[in-house]
Structures are given as structure tokens and as C-alpha cells.
Amino acid sequence: ILHKAILLVDRSIKPCHGDIVVAVVNNDFFVKRLQIANKEILLCPENPQYPVTKLYEDRGDYLWGIVLASINTYK
């Protein structure tokens, strides 16, 4: 997903392992790939320069929606 891309997000679909999701962590929005392992919810970046983020539901973090498509803009 490129910088300034427009995302088509569906909030009615249940997130599954491997989906690209929009998540709210510490009141910030993230777009990352969802990994569910050992009862942990991880948000994994496609760019290895960024860290994996763990989602803590007891802190108020949550999955906001599933990214269905991205539209790149050039202006």
C-alpha cells in the first residue's frame, strides 16, 4: 500500500489470519497484516524496517476493519 493511497475498508467482515486490517492501537490507526498465533493478535508490517505490533484488547486496542482494496493517487 503506497503513501496517500485511498483504502476501501469493510467493517462488517470478521478478520482472519493473513488479512490486511485497519487496527486501533493506543488511539492510533495502523494498517498491517493480521497474524493470530497462540491466542495473541499481532499486526505485522510488510516492510521489515517497522516493528510487529501486539494488540491488547484490555488496553482498548481493537480491529477496526478489513482492507479490501487500495487506490493509488498520483497528485
Side-chain angles (χ1 to χ4, degrees), residues 53-72:
T53 303
K54 187 173 177 182
L55 193 129
Y56 295 97
E57 292 177 328
D58 59 339
R59 178 174 67 188
D61 301 344
Y62 59 96
L63 297 173
W64 192 78
I66 305 299
V67 176
L68 298 179
S70 66
I71 302 166
N72 297 318

Side-chain angles (χ1 to χ4, degrees), residues 9-24 30 32-37 40-43 55 57 61-68:
V9 179
D10 191 331
R11 296 186 65 198
S12 69
I13 299 173
K14 181 180 177 184
C16 296
H17 178 82
D19 286 343
I20 296 175
V21 298
V22 177
V24 178
F30 287 80
K32 295 191 180 190
R33 189 166 302 274
L34 178 64
Q35 182 178 14
I36 301 171
E40 289 187 327
I41 300 172
L42 303 175
L43 304 171
L55 193 129
E57 292 177 328
D61 301 344
Y62 59 96
L63 297 173
W64 192 78
I66 305 299
V67 176
L68 298 179

